[in-house]
Each structure stands twice: as structure tokens, then as C-alpha cells.
């Protein structure tokens, strides 16, 4: 089965609100990454958090990692309509060097 | 610099025909990945090339699917005798080192429609 499962599957919020997406994984990881995808095309890397880190910030993005619970969250603060996209987590595990496992994604809609 | 490019951007074919999808990775990247994404779904790993090592083909769904990477650069994904369930967006990505969880840089994808 695929690890890196996001929830919720879909999230709809108003502009200015915060959006929180969660990701769970199954095996030990080197790091976990979040990607964004617009309109079903290529993914764009957002942020990477290493297994020995607990929290990381990049602009309006905040990522947390809890290795004891094998989970991560992505928080987008002060959301904008342009944040509307699908967001995927990808876990890079220790046993398959180079191969990350992607979840099914969370579709975020930010209404103006 | 140039990113990952894929061609064609869209491909419509008839059931039973063979198709070839091309990926040009970022120059110097040692690792190359192919994924498939059905409408509204997540990414399904297909195959992974790392340097001169034997590729990881564990994600290929059937023997109709094959891929090669020539000269450690350009890759071609071939689907023989296409079926309607092969319709999806095929995404290629490359990464600098191919180390565990390396950041992947994605191309825009090829949307394949099998009629």
C-alpha cells in the first residue's frame, strides 16, 4: 500500500483564512517534502523537512513533522485565491534511496 | 536554467497502438523518475533511473510498459498495445543526486488519451 496519505482529501476556505493539511506515512524516513500541483500538471517543490527536524518555515508555509506519530502537517497562513491547488506530501524512506512515495493529495480551494 | 521538459504535451491514440513519451531531465541530474497520474488521483510511481545502476522497475503496471534512459540523460517511456485504462497524465521528474528523498523537479507532463 502507498504511504504518504493526506487528509483532508478536499478543503475549501475563504481568502485570508489558514489552511492545514495533514500527511501520514508508514516507514522510517530520511525526510518529507511537500509539493504543489496546479491543474493536473507538473508538481512544484515547496518545502523539505528532515527527519531530525520538528518544524520548518518558508514564507507563509509552516511544516511540522512528528516522527513518533509518522505524520506531518502543512499550514498555509493568510491564504490567497492563488493558493488554490492540490498539495502532496512525499516521504523519502531509508530503504529505497532516491525513491519518494507520494500520497493522493489534498485539493485546496481558496474562495476570494 | 532549463527545467525538465516532456514531449508531446498531449497525445491521443487509438486502442492497440504503441506510444512513446519523451523526457529531457535537467542537465547534470543523475536520477530520473516516471509517474502516472489518473484524473483526480495521486502519483503512481512507475520507474526510477539512478546513474548507471539498473533501473527500479517495480512500479510498471504490466509488461506493455517499458522505459529506457540513453546516455544518462533523455528517457523514453514506451507503452505497447495501449488500452483505455492507460489514459492518464505521465509525469517525469529528475533530481540532482538520487539520494533518499531528494527534491524532484517535475516536467509539465504528457496527457495521454487512449480512444
Amino acid at each position: 500500500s502507498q504511504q504518504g496519505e493526506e487528509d483532508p482529501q478536499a478543503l475549501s476556505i475563504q481568502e485570508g483564512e489558514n489552511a492545514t493539511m495533514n500527511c501520514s506515512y508508514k516507514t522510517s524516513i530520511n525526510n518529507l517534502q511537500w509539493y504543489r500541483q496546479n491543474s493536473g500538471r507538473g508538481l512544484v517543490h515547496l518545502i523539505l523537512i528532515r527527519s531530525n527536524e520538528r518544524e520548518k518555515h518558508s514564507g507563509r508555509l509552516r511544516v511540522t513533522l512528528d516522527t513518533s506519530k509518522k505524520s506531518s502537517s502543512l499550514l498555509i497562513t493568510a491564504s490567497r485565491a492563488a493558493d488554490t491547488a492540490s498539495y502532496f506530501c512525499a516521504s523519502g524512506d531509508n530503504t529505497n534511496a532516491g525513491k519518494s512515495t507520494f500520497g493522493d493529495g489534498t485539493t485546496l480551494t481558496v474562495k476570494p | 536554467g532549463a527545467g525538465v521538459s516532456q514531449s508531446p504535451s498531449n497525445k491521443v491514440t487509438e486502442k492497440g497502438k504503441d506510444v512513446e513519451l519523451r523526457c529531457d531531465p535537467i542537465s547534470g541530474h543523475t536520477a530520473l523518475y516516471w509517474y502516472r497520474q489518473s484524473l483526480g488521483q495521486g502519483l503512481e510511481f512507475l520507474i526510477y533511473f539512478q546513474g548507471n545502476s539498473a533501473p527500479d522497475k517495480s512500479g510498471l503496471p504490466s509488461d506493455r510498459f517499458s522505459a529506457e534512459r540513453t546516455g544518462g540523460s533523455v528517457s523514453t517511456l514506451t507503452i505497447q498495445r495501449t488500452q483505455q485504462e492507460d489514459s492518464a497524465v505521465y509525469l517525469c521528474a529528475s533530481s540532482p543526486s538520487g539520494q533518499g528523498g531528494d527534491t524532484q523537479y517535475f516536467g509539465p507532463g504528457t496527457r495521454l488519451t487512449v480512444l
Side-chain angles (χ1 to χ4, degrees):
Chain A
S1 61
Q2 188 173 31
Q3 66 175 10
E5 299 176 357
E6 292 91 342
D7 80 273
Q9 289 187 324
L11 181 61
S12 182
I13 60 174
Q14 292 294 136
E15 206 164 28
E17 294 180 339
N18 296 341
T20 299
M21 290 160 269
N22 303 297
C23 166
S24 61
Y25 58 91
K26 293 185 172 66
T27 63
S28 296
I29 60 171
N30 287 329
N31 60 44
L32 188 140
Q33 303 178 63
W34 286 89
Y35 290 80
R36 167 193 168 125
Q37 183 181 41
N38 289 351
S39 305
R41 294 305 244 189
L43 279 70
V44 175
H45 179 257
L46 294 176
I47 193 166
L48 177 152
I49 186 164
R50 301 192 188 284
S51 59
N52 61 353
E53 297 177 312
R54 292 295 167 260
E55 187 171 313
K56 200 160 183 181
H57 297 253
S58 176
R60 293 184 297 113
L61 305 180
R62 172 178 167 248
V63 169
T64 62
L65 180 64
D66 186 334
T67 53
S68 67
K69 295 180 180 177
K70 291 187 168 59
S71 68
S72 173
S73 67
L74 171 67
L75 168 68
I76 303 174
T77 60
S79 63
R80 305 167 183 168
D83 294 329
T84 295
S86 292
Y87 292 83
F88 295 85
C89 70
S91 53
D93 78 40
N94 293 327
T95 60
N96 287 297
K99 185 173 139 185
S100 295
T101 304
F102 287 80
D104 290 336
T106 292
T107 300
L108 173 66
T109 303
V110 181
K111 293 179 276 190
Chain B
V4 177
S5 62
Q6 291 185 247
S7 61
S9 56
N10 287 283
K11 177 71 177 179
V12 180
T13 190
E14 294 180 347
K15 178 181 173 181
K17 300 282 190 183
D18 298 352
V19 295
E20 283 190 354
L21 312 179
R22 178 186 168 108
C23 172
D24 283 87
I26 293 173
S27 178
H29 279 193
T30 62
L32 186 147
Y33 312 77
W34 282 99
Y35 298 91
R36 177 169 72 174
Q37 186 179 34
S38 300
L39 187 64
Q41 302 297 309
L43 273 68
E44 176 187 1
F45 166 78
L46 296 178
I47 188 169
Y48 157 59
F49 296 89
Q50 163 65 322
N52 296 322
S53 302
D56 177 350
K57 303 179 182 178
S58 60
L60 295 179
S62 77
D63 58 8
R64 296 186 296 105
F65 288 72
S66 63
E68 61 178 24
R69 188 179 185 193
T70 54
S73 181
V74 171
S75 178
T76 302
L77 176 69
T78 301
I79 310 174
Q80 296 178 309
R81 305 181 302 281
T82 52
Q83 304 294 312
Q84 289 182 330
E85 60 263 29
D86 299 335
S87 295
V89 174
Y90 289 81
L91 293 163
C92 174
S94 68
S95 68
S97 68
Q99 296 300 308
D102 205 8
T103 296
Q104 296 180 32
Y105 298 82
F106 282 80
T110 294
R111 186 177 301 277
L112 174 66
T113 303
V114 182
L115 302 176

